[in-house]
């Protein structure tokens, strides 16, 4: 199969996963609109259908909550193939959504899409919504000046060992029996375990019981951890928003100041033991015990740090393909279990955006080559074993197809 054939297949996947204004990540396993998946889908669409790219982002922001939050799942149409569904979240919104958010990559990708295909009128309409979302992060998910997550699902890196310190303290009393659906679609050995799911549901229960009072979730919820990945993403996204504002003739001083403030707060995330930025439990102060792909996203924020770069380079050299989600040298590393080791084309693409900004073109080319190789041999799967390249999780995956089109198979990404 040639790269041209793969281009056509990738476009077909995006089109087949289109449910009318939004794409689902993959049929069966994830039958709704997911937040950061949609932003990547928009980037993919921008390579062949500019109008559809903007529509994807517009549909995502049509579910924005009055407080500015953009939810992590939007349940546009009923589907009982996924658990927990709208009845468990009980958001009370129209459309029904989850009650937490996901990595704020939309401004970063909106800027790249605008650079590629234009669309100033559509970007202008999105700008205040992006700003309101970033403000929500600042007001509802900050501690020690760092962006935090109130649920591992909010990080998008669900069962990453980054969250083990916070997960250890989540009380699961009162979580009765429930029926998971994910393990009916893919191999259970590649998914989070039951103990993880019990805790995930305990966090959802807390949010539901307090009527999704976001300040209460931050202050009293069962879980709150500083997330290096979201912190770096938000620094970059705020700077991109400031640049967008300038292009639009608006005043971007506010998001620019937010980015500077977060950058100044980074020392709170520095682990002396790991010699890297690492996830940290706000409730206990405990750091994650291994370096992860979250640290590698520092490049996206323009954060340069020689000690950390050395650690990250060593981590990359321990695998054959891409940046692993967890360090293979760590006891918690599992090469096929979801976010505990596999490499994810979407994260590689974000890191590549950072490498390009830092002028590290040889590293960017290596990461692109390794990611493209995974897709060429394994297909458009959700994620991959970074040691031997085995394709894992769901097939015909929207974000892998999008990344192929927008970055992995391009010279001009
Ligand atoms: C995964 O997360 C969902 C919950 O949001 C799940 O496992 O059920 C993660 O990989 C997340 O990053 C992604 O957005 C989602 C849909 O692809 O799947």
């Amino acid at each position: 199969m040639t790269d041209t054939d793969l281009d056509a297949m990738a476009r077909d996947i995006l089109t087949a996963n289109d449910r009318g204004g939004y794409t689902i990540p993959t049929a069966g396993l994830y039958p709704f609109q997911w937040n950061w998946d949609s932003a990547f889908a928009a980037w993919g669409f921008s390579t062949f259908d500019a109008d559809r790219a903007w529509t994807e982002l517009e549909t995502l922001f049509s579910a924005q909550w009055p407080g500015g939050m953009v939810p992590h799942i939007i349940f546009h149409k009923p589907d009982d193939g996924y658990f927990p569904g709208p009845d468990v979240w009980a958001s009370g919104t129209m459309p029904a959504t989850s009650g937490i958010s996901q990595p704020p990559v939309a401004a970063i990708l909106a800027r790249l899409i605008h650079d590629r295909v234009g669309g100033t009128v559509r970007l202008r309409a999105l700008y205040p919504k992006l700003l309101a979302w970033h403000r929500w992060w600042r007001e509802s998910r900050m501690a020690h000046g760092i962006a935090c997550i109130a649920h591992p699902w909010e990080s998008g890196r669900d069962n990453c060992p980054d969250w083990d310190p916070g997960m250890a303290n989540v009380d699961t009393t009162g979580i009765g029996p429930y029926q998971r659906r994910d393990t009916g679609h893919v191999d259970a050995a590649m998914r989070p375990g039951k103990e993880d799911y019990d805790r995930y549901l305990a966090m959802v229960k807390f949010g539901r019981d307090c009527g999704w009072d976001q300040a209460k979730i931050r202050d009293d919820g069962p879980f709150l951890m500083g997330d290096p990945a979201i912190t770096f993403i938000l620094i970059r996204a705020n700077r991109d928003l400031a640049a967008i504002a300038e292009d639009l003739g608006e005043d971007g001083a506010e998001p620019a100041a937010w980015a500077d403030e977060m950058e100044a707060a980074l020392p709170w995330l520095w682990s002396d033991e790991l010699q890297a930025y690492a996830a940290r439990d706000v409730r206990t102060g405990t750091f994650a015990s291994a370096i992860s792909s979250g640290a590698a996203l520092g490049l996206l924020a323009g954060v340069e740090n020689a000690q950390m770069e050395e650690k990250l380079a060593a981590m990359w050299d321990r695998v054959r393909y891409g940046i692993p989600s967890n360090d293979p040298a760590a006891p918690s590393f599992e090469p096929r279990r979801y976010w505990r080791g596999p490499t994810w084309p979407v994260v590689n693409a974000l890191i590549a955006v950072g490498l390009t900004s830092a002028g590290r073109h040889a590293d960017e080319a290596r990461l692109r080559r390794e990611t493209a190789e995974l897709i060429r041999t394994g297909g458009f799967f959700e994620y991959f074993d970074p040691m031997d390249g085995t394709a894992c999780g769901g097939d015909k995956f929207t974000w892998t197809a999008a990344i192929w089109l927008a970055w992995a198979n391009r010279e001009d990404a």
Side-chain angles (χ1 to χ4, degrees), residues 3-159:
D3 286 353
T4 312
D5 295 334
L6 287 168
D7 277 350
M9 271 179 79
R11 287 193 292 267
D12 286 350
I13 288 171
L14 290 188
T15 308
N17 286 340
D18 187 349
R19 291 293 178 274
Y22 70 94
T23 49
I24 56 166
T26 184
L29 185 60
Y30 303 123
F32 306 109
Q33 184 176 23
W34 258 262
N35 185 323
W36 70 329
D37 299 65
S38 260
F40 288 110
W43 197 25
F45 275 122
S46 75
T47 63
F48 66 100
D49 187 342
D51 173 54
R52 186 62 190 74
W54 288 112
T55 302
E56 185 79 24
L57 291 174
E58 287 158 1
T59 309
L60 173 63
F61 278 85
S62 71
Q64 186 167 33
W65 284 21
M69 186 188 73
V70 182
H72 104 289
I73 309 176
I74 306 161
F75 302 107
H76 293 284
K77 294 177 200 156
D79 190 308
D80 57 14
Y82 181 82
F83 176 86
D87 48 328
V88 181
W89 288 97
S91 65
T93 56
M94 259 318 259
T97 71
S98 67
I100 56 171
S101 199
Q102 246 190 348
V105 295
I108 301 171
L109 297 171
R111 187 171 177 215
L112 292 175
I113 292 167
H114 186 249
D115 287 350
R116 180 173 280 159
V117 297
T120 305
V121 172
R122 314 228 1 217
L123 183 60
R124 186 182 296 285
L126 266 183
Y127 175 79
K129 299 176 186 184
L130 289 162
L131 189 67
W133 187 25
H134 291 192
R135 182 175 288 113
W136 175 84
W137 276 101
R138 191 176 154 78
E139 289 172 354
S140 304
R141 289 292 188 271
M142 289 279 167
H144 305 280
I146 293 299
C148 299
I149 53 158
H151 193 302
W153 286 338
E154 202 156 60
S155 73
R157 300 180 295 126
D158 302 5
N159 64 338

Side-chain angles (χ1 to χ4, degrees), residues 107 127 130-131 134 236-246 252 255:
Y127 175 79
L130 289 162
L131 189 67
H134 291 192
R236 169 74 182 229
N238 274 321
R239 295 210 167 111
D240 281 342
L241 207 52
I244 288 171
E246 195 170 310

Side-chain angles (χ1 to χ4, degrees), residues 156-175:
R157 300 180 295 126
D158 302 5
N159 64 338
C160 184
D162 279 11
W163 319 128
D164 290 359
M167 286 283 275
N169 294 325
V170 177
D171 178 7
T172 56
T173 314
I175 298 299

Side-chain angles (χ1 to χ4, degrees), residues 354-372:
L355 287 166
T356 300
S357 301
R360 287 175 49 183
H361 299 298
D363 286 336
E364 190 276 338
R366 172 183 164 193
L367 190 52
R368 184 152 37 91
R369 194 174 56 244
E370 291 178 1
T371 307

Side-chain angles (χ1 to χ4, degrees), residues 86-297:
D87 48 328
V88 181
W89 288 97
S91 65
T93 56
M94 259 318 259
T97 71
S98 67
I100 56 171
S101 199
Q102 246 190 348
V105 295
I108 301 171
L109 297 171
R111 187 171 177 215
L112 292 175
I113 292 167
H114 186 249
D115 287 350
R116 180 173 280 159
V117 297
T120 305
V121 172
R122 314 228 1 217
L123 183 60
R124 186 182 296 285
L126 266 183
Y127 175 79
K129 299 176 186 184
L130 289 162
L131 189 67
W133 187 25
H134 291 192
R135 182 175 288 113
W136 175 84
W137 276 101
R138 191 176 154 78
E139 289 172 354
S140 304
R141 289 292 188 271
M142 289 279 167
H144 305 280
I146 293 299
C148 299
I149 53 158
H151 193 302
W153 286 338
E154 202 156 60
S155 73
R157 300 180 295 126
D158 302 5
N159 64 338
C160 184
D162 279 11
W163 319 128
D164 290 359
M167 286 283 275
N169 294 325
V170 177
D171 178 7
T172 56
T173 314
I175 298 299
Y178 56 90
Q179 176 76 46
R180 282 172 65 171
R181 299 291 157 85
D182 54 323
T183 44
H185 297 292
V186 291
D187 183 354
M190 295 182 180
R191 296 286 304 175
K194 174 171 163 41
E195 325 71 54
D196 296 322
Y197 257 76
D198 286 352
R199 293 184 170 104
Y200 296 159
L201 291 173
M203 293 175 228
V204 172
K205 182 177 183 317
F206 183 92
R208 188 178 62 223
D209 289 351
C210 74
W212 297 107
D213 175 337
Q214 299 292 334
K216 187 164 176 60
I217 291 169
R218 178 199 55 211
D219 296 339
D220 306 327
F223 177 100
L224 192 73
M225 286 195 72
D227 181 349
I230 292 198
T231 301
F232 294 137
I233 286 168
L234 202 50
I235 290 173
R236 169 74 182 229
N238 274 321
R239 295 210 167 111
D240 281 342
L241 207 52
I244 288 171
E246 195 170 310
D247 281 354
L248 296 174
E250 311 241 2
D251 181 4
E254 195 176 30
W258 294 344
D260 291 346
E261 278 174 34
M262 286 177 79
E263 192 169 356
L266 282 175
W268 192 77
L269 276 187
W270 182 260
S271 160
D272 282 332
E273 197 184 324
L274 295 174
Q275 287 292 294
Y277 293 109
R280 188 173 183 188
D281 191 342
V282 176
R283 309 283 187 234
T284 61
T286 311
F287 278 104
S289 58
I291 195 166
S292 75
S293 55
L297 287 163

